[in-house]
Amino acid sequence: MSEDLILVEADRCIGCSICKLICSISHTGAFNPKRGLLAVRKDLFSGDVLHPRL
Amino acid sequence: MSIRAGGFVVINASKCTGCKACMNACPYGAIFYDEVEGVCVKCDLCMGEALCAKWCPQGAIKVRGFERSLRMGREDPEGRSILGGRLDRGYGEIFQGLLGGVGIVARILWNEVPPEVGPFDPGNKLIFMTGPLTGTIAPCSAKIVVGSKSPSLHPVEHSTKSSVGGDWGPELKYAGYDGLVVEGRAERPVYISVLDEEVEIRRATGLWGKGTFATQREIAHQLGRKVETLCIGPAGENLSRIATIQTQTGRASGHSGFGGVMGSKNLKAIAVRGTGDVKVADPKRFLEVCEYAKSLMVPHPMGGGGGGLGWTRALPDKRLLPFSKYRRRYFSCHSCPAACDGFCSVPGVGSGSEKCDGWFYRDYAYDYHGDGSEEGDRAFFHATLMANDLGVDCFELVSMIPWLARMRDRGLIDDDSIGLPLGRIGSMEFAEKLLRSIALREGPAGILSEGSARAAEILRGAEELYEALWFAYGQNQHDDVRSYPIVALLWAFDSRDPMIDTHAIRHLLVTRLLWPEPFGVKERERDAICERIFGSTEVADHSNYRGKARAAAICQNYSRAFSALVLCDWTVPIFSSPSTKDHMGDPTVLNGLLSAATGLEFSLEDLLLVGERIYNLERAQLVREGRRRGSDTLYEYWFSNPDPGGRVVPREEFEGAKDEFYATRGWDPETGIPRPERLRELGLPDVAEALSRCIKDPG
């Protein structure tokens, strides 16, 4: 497990933020996408998903 | 910080001072700063099963071995006026009775918007309300309810509501607020910014006149951060009665004309950024119910399992399939696995959302330019983007354009009298002229900015043709009132297009029967579902009005209940499911989610009682504004003009079903006014007292 890394396929991302919500509730006990330990930021004007990372 | 075996970096929070040196050093941009705790934080792969990968509806997040990692980029990290507003921090004592969303909207309208207030008066309120599930991970919980006096409803400008998805509602919750009520009128154009605790009314001078796309970008630039923005375009500024409130490139509070209300307040936009928490009472149970709800919804025919409006795939359309070559991805609202928004880029036109309501010009564009032609693609998508940018209600245009064509054919209008190139309906030029006329009130076609119902009163001889394309209350046809008795009844009693009811009922009774597996529902399965939800299969027999009144009331109680939570009407109340063997759905997820979120135990019956209470409160407001039994009806056209199958809305049966409906609701059958004793039983004693005065005036 220690060698694992999470990969994001940006092309498949729909920008729903569910990943940030589940991350924040399990690490902080509350729903707060700004405290999710990953960032998948969508640009709704260009259609890009920017800088998927964690 | 330390490095565990295998090179995995962990942060020891007790030692971290929040200096952010590690953030600057990390080439992957993988370390974040938690403003709440004041420490640096980093993914720990959940010390086992990575939950983001497990919950991602798209399978876009995967846990892989380190050697297969990718390099990922780094990310650089006055005007005061008489406009007033309230930010409500809690539902307080009305929470338990009305829950949120549409319930609180109905209560504020009743308490604060008397009948004599017109939609564009400063005394009108514009209410934006979240619900107890907003901001959580509950599936399809992004929507807010917007409420106000509506300029689009006709002939009476009744109070009504609308909804809008995207990310704005959850962001407001993260900023620490449940809702926002705008009252009064600013002296000059302003916008509101809500950045957590900081709430400001700012000048919008440079924004006034701009389209909704540019407005959202400009506000983000001015505030210097990512915000979620609701805004109006030129249509709303010019008090068009068919103007929308928009967010992103295609999400709108559309069909109630609230863009004009916002424009009348000189309010261009409301931008929100929130960094706070949204908590639920029992997180473990809440996540269990969410997983169960998702299992019933995905793959959902309305999307999910790949994104997009699934029925466009279930029923292949020769004009949609070729257009999909422009689709770059699907976008969803906050916390929604369905992703109904197909994001398209058409060369030479632009990029933005493509959904069913944006198809108003599709058929005209391809009829004019030819199927599969790039000119057709461009004309169609240009019209869609332009309507969303100018803030014009796409759905109104669905019927307005054929109405104009019919008036042209009858010689009631021509190019000169209306100022539109009527011979070129389907061209880019026609769409541009029409939309500009509406949004900017330019030329003779500027009267269309008043909405088709009011324009029909001005254009002589147009009313008869108008009725053939609209159902009631100045709202254009949607679903089928002649073929489906329950749809006719739902239309008759609502203040506006009852789509929050008809979406669910149409899926169950009509569309799903036509779909292939796994979405399709067989007739005997449908009957079992109807038995469970309505206690009878009568609702599925479209040849008569038996049992439809009671079923309509049940539908309305459901829709008000889930719109109080607030969940999206595309995906709930889960009457049927593509994932169960018998396609049986389970609406108890609604009360399950609410109970786990609030810690207050609600049964489905409790929740439906809240729905009934809200429906009665909405009705009380309509009654106070003059609504009576006589206006619970459809346009005359639908009673006298048969469809190709020879069906009309049978007047006697229809009126008989109305008697049954008023009896079911505990309303007076003569007037259609809720009886005071029923309102008291529902816990609305003040409403009962005020309405008993109305009964003396039969209207």
Side-chain angles (χ1 to χ4, degrees):
Chain A
M1 181 252 30
S2 57
E3 292 188 2
D4 287 348
L5 185 80
I6 292 183
L7 296 183
V8 181
E9 284 181 61
D11 287 347
R12 300 190 67 175
C13 175
I14 56 174
C16 64
S17 297
I18 287 173
C19 53
K20 299 186 219 174
L21 290 166
I22 192 67
C23 182
S24 61
I25 187 84
S26 62
H27 285 81
T28 72
F31 293 111
N32 185 343
K34 311 268 183 325
R35 296 178 77 188
L37 304 178
L38 39 79
V40 181
R41 192 160 146 178
K42 56 184 170 179
D43 181 336
L44 286 145
F45 294 96
S46 69
D48 293 332
V49 168
L50 303 170
H51 307 302
R53 64 183 195 184
L54 38 78
Chain B
M1 296 182 76
S2 58
I3 298 177
R4 282 206 314 239
F8 194 77
V9 178
V10 289
I11 297 174
N12 183 341
S14 65
K15 288 189 178 171
C16 178
T17 60
C19 71
K20 303 185 187 174
C22 57
M23 290 174 70
N24 292 328
C26 176
Y28 298 103
I31 300 172
F32 298 81
Y33 182 68
D34 182 343
E35 292 185 16
V36 178
E37 302 290 339
V39 294
C40 292
V41 286
K42 181 187 171 297
C43 172
D44 57 0
L45 291 171
C46 297
M47 309 303 277
E49 185 187 28
L51 289 171
C52 54
K54 181 185 169 199
W55 279 70
C56 178
Q58 292 291 100
I61 302 178
K62 292 191 178 71
V63 181
R64 294 260 175 84
F66 190 76
E67 71 283 359
R68 296 179 63 188
S69 73
L70 300 170
R71 266 195 77 84
M72 294 171 190
R74 269 191 69 78
E75 190 183 346
D76 296 323
E78 155 180 356
R80 293 251 170 233
S81 69
I82 58 165
L83 181 93
R86 275 201 330 265
L87 288 147
D88 290 336
R89 276 194 186 275
Y91 305 123
E93 62 196 30
I94 55 176
F95 163 76
Q96 283 197 47
L98 297 164
L99 295 179
V102 74
I104 308 292
V105 161
R107 181 42 103 169
I108 294 175
L109 287 170
W110 171 265
N111 286 0
E112 302 181 16
V113 182
E116 62 276 12
V117 170
F120 297 143
D121 294 345
N124 190 17
K125 307 284 168 93
L126 186 58
I127 306 155
F128 302 89
M129 201 54 62
T130 67
L133 299 183
T134 315
T136 71
I137 203 169
C140 313
S141 58
K143 274 194 169 186
I144 56 161
V145 177
V146 188
S148 193
K149 268 280 178 73
S150 163
S152 75
L153 295 178
H154 177 268
V156 182
E157 297 161 325
H158 276 300
S159 297
T160 192
K161 73 276 169 190
S162 172
S163 67
V164 53
D167 296 73
W168 191 91
E171 200 71 22
L172 188 71
K173 286 285 281 193
Y174 301 134
Y177 309 98
D178 293 322
L180 193 153
V181 183
V182 182
E183 50 199 20
R185 171 183 292 159
E187 280 171 21
R188 56 176 83 87
V190 295
Y191 74 95
I192 298 173
S193 66
V194 179
L195 306 172
D196 288 318
E197 295 293 312
E198 287 171 48
V199 181
E200 273 191 66
I201 298 173
R202 298 164 184 259
R203 279 196 191 189
T205 343
L207 299 169
W208 207 252
K210 283 208 160 77
T212 63
F213 294 12
T215 300
Q216 292 175 71
R217 286 178 169 142
E218 176 60 26
I219 287 178
H221 180 71
Q222 282 185 17
L223 298 174
R225 52 214 334 189
K226 188 176 183 322
V227 286
E228 297 300 333
T229 302
L230 284 178
C231 65
I232 57 169
E237 296 170 9
N238 293 314
L239 308 193
S240 169
R241 290 178 185 268
I242 53 169
T244 54
I245 301 173
Q246 299 272 149
T247 184
Q248 301 171 356
T249 61
R251 306 245 172 234
S253 156
H255 217 32
S256 300
F258 292 151
V261 175
M262 200 152 148
S264 76
K265 301 196 173 305
N266 266 328
L267 178 59
K268 180 68 177 174
I270 307 171
V272 181
R273 179 179 165 84
T275 59
D277 292 347
V278 167
K279 289 186 173 157
V280 291
D282 185 345
K284 186 169 171 290
R285 180 179 168 200
F286 190 77
L287 293 180
E288 281 166 11
V289 186
C290 286
E291 280 204 87
Y292 173 56
K294 257 187 0 161
S295 76
L296 294 173
M297 294 157 89
V298 180
H300 193 283
M302 292 302 116
L309 292 163
W311 47 271
T312 62
R313 298 197 302 273
L315 297 173
D317 182 306
K318 67 179 163 96
R319 286 174 162 172
L320 283 178
L321 286 178
F323 192 79
S324 61
K325 66 175 175 277
Y326 300 111
R327 193 168 299 133
R328 302 250 320 272
R329 64 170 66 248
Y330 291 104
F331 272 133
S332 71
C333 294
H334 190 81
S335 193
C336 179
C340 65
D341 179 348
F343 190 92
C344 295
S345 294
V346 176
V349 177
S351 301
S353 159
E354 183 241 345
K355 293 198 304 297
C356 51
D357 43 8
W359 296 337
F360 65 91
Y361 208 52
R362 184 190 53 165
D363 286 346
Y364 298 100
Y366 291 120
D367 285 349
Y368 187 80
H369 289 291
D371 276 341
S373 68
E374 289 191 357
E375 292 84 357
D377 296 340
R378 284 199 291 269
F380 151 45
F381 200 56
H382 183 64
T384 302
L385 286 186
M386 199 170 163
N388 283 319
D389 194 37
L390 294 171
V392 175
D393 178 13
C394 292
F395 208 60
E396 169 87 8
L397 301 170
V398 169
S399 291
M400 182 188 280
I401 296 173
W403 175 60
L404 291 170
R406 285 186 201 187
M407 284 197 293
R408 171 201 62 194
D409 295 344
R410 288 264 195 105
L412 292 169
I413 53 172
D414 58 32
D415 288 20
D416 290 335
S417 74
I418 198 77
L420 297 172
L422 293 167
R424 293 200 291 283
I425 295 180
S427 68
M428 202 181 267
E429 182 197 356
F430 177 84
E432 269 187 15
K433 269 232 131 159
L434 174 67
L435 287 163
R436 284 184 64 86
S437 303
I438 293 170
L440 307 173
R441 291 185 178 268
E442 275 179 2
I447 57 163
L448 299 172
S449 194
E450 290 291 292
S452 308
R454 287 172 176 86
E457 290 177 338
I458 301 165
L459 296 167
R460 282 194 312 152
E463 278 175 295
E464 177 200 341
L465 286 168
Y466 165 79
E467 281 199 2
L469 286 162
W470 271 258
F471 276 168
Y473 318 121
Q475 300 258 299
N476 57 302
Q477 58 176 300
H478 189 199
D479 297 295
D480 188 340
V481 288
R482 291 177 295 198
S483 306
Y484 305 108
I486 187 167
V487 172
L489 291 174
L490 288 166
W491 266 89
F493 300 115
D494 216 304
S495 56
R496 50 159 286 173
D497 178 346
M499 62 175 86
I500 55 172
D501 301 297
T502 52
H503 279 158
I505 207 74
R506 174 163 39 120
H507 298 163
L508 175 61
L509 299 181
V510 188
T511 348
R512 292 246 178 128
L513 294 171
L514 307 171
W515 285 345
E517 285 292 331
F519 307 131
V521 173
K522 295 181 187 67
E523 280 187 28
R524 64 181 158 72
E525 294 172 337
R526 174 203 61 192
D527 288 349
I529 295 167
C530 289
E531 278 288 353
R532 175 172 176 191
I533 305 293
F534 302 108
S536 150
T537 58
E538 283 178 329
V539 63
D541 176 0
H542 307 305
S543 68
N544 61 62
Y545 273 70
R546 276 196 300 278
K548 309 303 186 293
R550 209 178 139 268
I554 291 170
C555 272
Q556 293 160 345
N557 295 347
Y558 267 105
S559 66
R560 270 53 183 185
F562 69 67
S563 299
L565 292 178
V566 178
L567 294 175
C568 177
D569 53 297
W570 272 112
T571 43
V572 296
I574 318 186
F575 287 156
S576 62
S577 167
S579 351
T580 56
K581 222 169 71 186
D582 49 6
H583 288 117
M584 182 70 78
D586 187 357
T588 65
V589 295
L590 301 175
N591 55 299
L593 287 168
L594 178 64
S595 304
T598 59
L600 305 164
E601 211 49 50
F602 284 84
S603 67
L604 183 59
E605 287 67 34
D606 294 337
L607 187 58
L608 292 177
L609 185 67
V610 173
E612 186 176 359
R613 181 178 299 126
I614 295 169
Y615 198 81
N616 276 267
L617 190 51
E618 283 181 6
R619 178 70 179 187
Q621 179 76 346
L622 294 182
V623 164
R624 196 164 65 165
E625 293 165 355
R627 186 75 173 260
R628 296 292 184 276
R629 177 180 177 139
S631 13
D632 289 344
T633 191
L634 307 162
Y635 291 142
E636 177 55 34
Y637 180 90
W638 306 100
F639 295 100
S640 43
N641 290 275
D643 65 13
R647 287 167 296 204
V648 293
V649 176
R651 200 181 306 271
E652 263 180 44
E653 275 189 78
F654 178 77
E655 289 298 324
K658 277 168 65 178
D659 286 334
E660 209 185 307
F661 180 85
Y662 300 128
T664 303
R665 282 267 177 237
W667 297 355
D668 175 46
E670 297 295 314
T671 60
I673 298 175
R675 291 185 200 278
E677 53 270 30
R678 184 74 195 117
L679 291 173
R680 277 193 286 270
E681 281 166 18
L682 287 168
L684 299 167
D686 60 318
V687 182
E689 197 183 314
L691 268 204
S692 54
R693 290 194 290 275
C694 285
I695 294 176
K696 296 187 187 96
D697 163 28

